[in-house]
Amino acid sequence: MPVNHEERLPILVHLDELRKRLLYSIIALFVAFLVAFQYSEILLNFLQLPLTFSFNIVRQSPYIQILTLPSPTKLIFTAPAEAFWMYMKIGFIGSVFLSLPFIIAQIWLFIAPGLKPKERKYALPFIIGATVMFCLGALFCQFVILPFALRFLLTYQTATLTPLISIGKYVDFVTSFMLAFGLIFELPLVITILSRIGLVTPQFLSRHRKWAILIAFIVAAILTPTPDMFNQCLMAVPILFLYEVGIIMARIFGRKKMVEASAAEEA
């Protein structure tokens, strides 16, 4: 059956637009990498904070104490090129955070042609909100989750078991968690957007909460770089909390509110 050229044209236009946005994003990543790589040593010191930084919750004031502890282990490298590739990887992760607002803007520009004029005015809040939530997720992981997880995992040290952690493995572990939590913290924003365009409702999300619990643990099992149940729970619990936050935001900013606002404007 011959394909109509008029039907193929929009697909080709969308593919060309996608290629352009991907190219711009790659260029932004490369430029940001050139900057971040210059500060890779500072970034490495920041990534090592979970080994020496901890929150301590007690019953008397001050209830939350910030503790600085000696590092329980020294990081080593076991291959000649491991330290070099570690700095390259840190530079790339830093470039992701530096270029994140530009990349999110490219995503918005790709989907904007399919939106209504009233919906396009949310471009700036979307870019700012997505960037802030991603960074909050990474910082929450860095200063709350990782110190607790590392302190627990290193308690398995015994007289016959000494932790010798390679710098490459440590950076992989920490950055995987930070990127995963950055993506997880986008959940309330995603739910709000889906609610505004009418794909989901707060009632639907509340009714299927048990499925959300199951999916949260499945996602945590996939994203967690270690197979142990402890770290999976550390990731699944924030997912469920953010899911509930998303339901609240959907009730406040969902389609019903948007319809009411449109009716008020017409009146």
Side-chain angles (χ1 to χ4, degrees):
M1 180 178 179
V3 180
N4 191 343
H5 177 71
E6 294 181 356
E7 295 178 355
R8 292 178 56 189
L9 185 58
I11 298 177
L12 295 176
V13 171
H14 290 317
L15 290 176
D16 184 66
E17 182 70 15
L18 178 61
R19 180 192 61 81
K20 183 171 67 173
R21 298 304 167 193
L22 286 175
L23 179 62
Y24 289 164
S25 299
I26 292 173
I27 294 174
L29 274 172
F30 178 74
V31 174
F33 173 80
L34 296 178
V35 176
F37 186 74
Q38 305 298 320
Y39 301 94
S40 54
E41 183 69 30
I42 297 175
L43 295 176
L44 175 60
N45 293 333
F46 176 76
L47 292 178
Q48 292 185 80
L49 284 179
L51 291 172
T52 59
F53 180 89
S54 177
F55 282 107
N56 189 28
I57 301 176
V58 295
R59 295 182 178 180
Q60 51 188 338
S61 180
Y63 300 102
I64 299 178
Q65 302 174 357
I66 300 176
L67 304 179
T68 302
L69 306 173
S71 177
T73 183
K74 291 184 177 180
L75 301 179
I76 62 173
F77 62 94
T78 58
E82 184 177 2
F84 169 75
W85 287 113
M86 176 273 302
Y87 281 115
M88 294 287 288
K89 189 177 299 182
I90 290 176
F92 174 75
I93 297 299
S95 69
V96 171
F97 283 90
L98 281 178
S99 60
L100 186 63
F102 183 83
I103 293 175
I104 295 175
Q106 295 304 306
I107 296 173
W108 179 267
L109 291 173
F110 177 71
I111 64 176
L115 301 177
K116 298 178 180 178
K118 290 183 179 180
E119 297 170 338
R120 294 177 187 174
K121 65 182 181 180
Y122 298 107
L124 186 60
F126 171 78
I127 295 171
I128 295 176
T131 303
V132 169
M133 293 303 292
F134 188 90
C135 293
L136 283 178
L139 292 175
F140 175 79
C141 175
Q142 176 76 350
F143 293 107
V144 180
I145 298 298
L146 281 174
F148 183 66
L150 289 170
R151 198 163 59 249
F152 170 80
L153 294 174
L154 292 175
T155 56
Y156 286 93
Q157 176 183 358
T158 63
T160 57
L161 292 176
T162 302
L164 294 175
I165 306 174
S166 70
I167 187 65
K169 296 291 185 182
Y170 177 80
V171 170
D172 287 343
F173 180 86
V174 172
T175 55
S176 297
F177 260 96
M178 291 179 67
L179 292 176
F181 270 88
L183 293 175
I184 288 170
F185 267 62
E186 301 288 357
L187 183 60
L189 183 63
V190 172
I191 291 177
T192 303
I193 293 174
L194 293 178
S195 177
R196 289 194 69 85
I197 63 180
L199 292 181
V200 298
T201 62
Q203 294 75 19
F204 173 85
L205 297 172
S206 300
R207 191 166 57 249
H208 294 84
R209 185 177 282 109
K210 59 182 180 181
W211 291 105
I213 296 174
L214 175 62
I215 294 173
F217 277 92
I218 293 175
V219 171
I222 295 172
L223 295 180
T224 304
T226 57
D228 58 286
M229 191 65 184
F230 176 77
N231 284 323
Q232 292 176 13
C233 290
L234 285 180
M235 186 171 292
V237 171
I239 292 177
L240 296 175
F241 174 77
L242 292 169
Y243 181 81
E244 297 298 329
V245 173
I247 294 177
I248 296 173
M249 293 182 65
R251 293 184 188 278
I252 299 174
F253 302 105
R255 189 178 182 86
K256 181 179 178 181
K257 296 293 183 181
M258 185 172 59
V259 171
E260 291 176 355
S262 300
E265 290 178 1
E266 292 178 359

